[in-house]
Amino acid sequence: MTGARVLVVEHEDGTGPAQVGERLAAQGLVIDLCRPWAGDTLPNTLDGHDGFLVLGGSMGPYDEERAPWLPAVGGLLREAVARDMPTLGICLGMELLTVACGGEVRHAARPEVGLCELTPLQEAAKDRLFGPFVDADTWLSAVQWHWEETGTLPEGAVALLTSERCAHQAYRIGTSVWGVQFHPEVLAGDIGTWGSSDVGPLQALGLDPAGVVAEVAREETALRELWGAFAEQWGAIVTEDRSTVEAPPSA
């Protein structure tokens, strides 16, 4: 039997699955990378997939003129919620999940860029994705790069993480659909081009692009260890849920 199959949606050049994709592939999961920005056609359904990963991008969740495939991604996210299929929406992916499920995304009053501390909420310790990483001794910090944020959670969503500037850093819908505002997939090398393309907006925030990348580079080892393990935990959930679905009924 081949490994569990994950549909991955990439919205823009330079915003691939990075270390999350590497960890999933190392676990034997099959990655179906769809790049609608490059002309790939999104599937009409999640049939044939066991997990769904929606990545980030510089557009916002309402920028349908710039990225006309966004409504179709929203439809797939609603399908994932209906199926309770293991799903992870990252940054724009979380914002699309929020909008698709009836929540509200707004412009952030205080955008987050660079390395930021995360604070677990009470439900995080019981969550099967975040639970292993939220004990008192775990360092929780991640790369942020967003000017939009979830203002109102979808109905029934369970808040899991917060931060000083952004109330909703992670949430769960059902048992298996997660959105995260931060970027568990990237390291310093991945965000180098982001800094180059966002010089003006970063300077408007009083940030130096090279300084942001250097800050992330200083914590590279810890980021790789923490969020690499997080990716593996999500991959294990995809595989576990697929095995549960595929297991024959007991005699």
Side-chain angles (χ1 to χ4, degrees):
M1 183 176 65
T2 59
R5 187 172 291 274
V6 177
L7 175 63
V8 180
V9 177
E10 179 186 291
H11 297 283
E12 193 173 19
D13 193 17
T15 61
Q19 75 159 342
V20 169
E22 293 167 6
R23 296 296 182 108
L24 296 178
Q27 289 176 288
L29 280 75
V30 178
I31 306 297
D32 286 338
L33 182 60
C34 182
R35 293 170 163 163
W37 63 269
D40 291 350
T41 301
L42 280 166
N44 294 323
T45 176
L46 294 172
D47 286 351
H49 293 95
D50 307 292
F52 188 27
L53 174 61
V54 183
L55 300 169
S58 59
M59 64 286 291
Y62 304 110
D63 288 343
E64 297 175 12
E65 290 190 7
R66 179 180 173 190
W69 59 87
L70 294 183
V73 176
L76 291 173
L77 285 165
R78 284 189 293 273
E79 180 184 345
V81 170
R83 294 185 178 206
D84 204 23
M85 173 184 286
T87 297
L88 181 61
I90 294 174
C91 198
L92 172 62
M94 170 174 163
E95 295 161 10
L96 288 169
L97 177 64
T98 297
V99 172
C101 296
E104 174 258 337
V105 171
R106 65 192 179 198
H107 188 74
R110 302 171 67 196
E112 292 179 307
V113 177
L115 205 61
C116 296
E117 298 295 319
L118 302 172
T119 300
L121 300 173
Q122 185 174 359
E123 290 295 324
K126 298 180 284 186
D127 184 77
R128 62 176 179 154
L129 177 56
F130 283 96
F133 308 103
V134 297
D135 63 75
D137 298 323
T138 300
W139 174 84
L140 273 185
S141 188
V143 177
Q144 306 276 2
W145 206 285
H146 67 99
W147 278 258
E148 309 292 323
E149 65 182 10
T150 293
T152 305
L153 290 175
E155 185 176 356
V158 177
L160 299 171
L161 299 180
T162 188
S163 70
E164 180 184 355
R165 294 190 178 189
C166 179
H168 304 301
Q169 283 288 346
Y171 67 80
R172 186 189 72 246
I173 299 176
T175 70
S176 305
V177 177
W178 290 271
V180 298
Q181 188 63 70
F182 57 92
H183 285 276
E185 82 281 19
V186 299
L187 299 168
D190 303 301
I191 65 171
T193 57
W194 300 2
S196 300
S197 62
D198 284 343
V199 172
L202 290 178
Q203 290 178 342
L205 295 175
L207 297 172
D208 167 52
V212 172
V213 175
E215 178 189 34
V216 173
R218 285 193 292 271
E219 298 294 343
E220 184 113 334
T221 299
L223 290 169
R224 186 185 301 275
E225 179 179 351
L226 173 60
W227 299 114
F230 173 86
E232 291 175 354
Q233 178 71 4
W234 187 74
I237 289 170
V238 174
T239 300
E240 176 186 352
D241 282 19
R242 179 209 196 193
S243 299
T244 301
V245 170
E246 291 190 346
S250 56

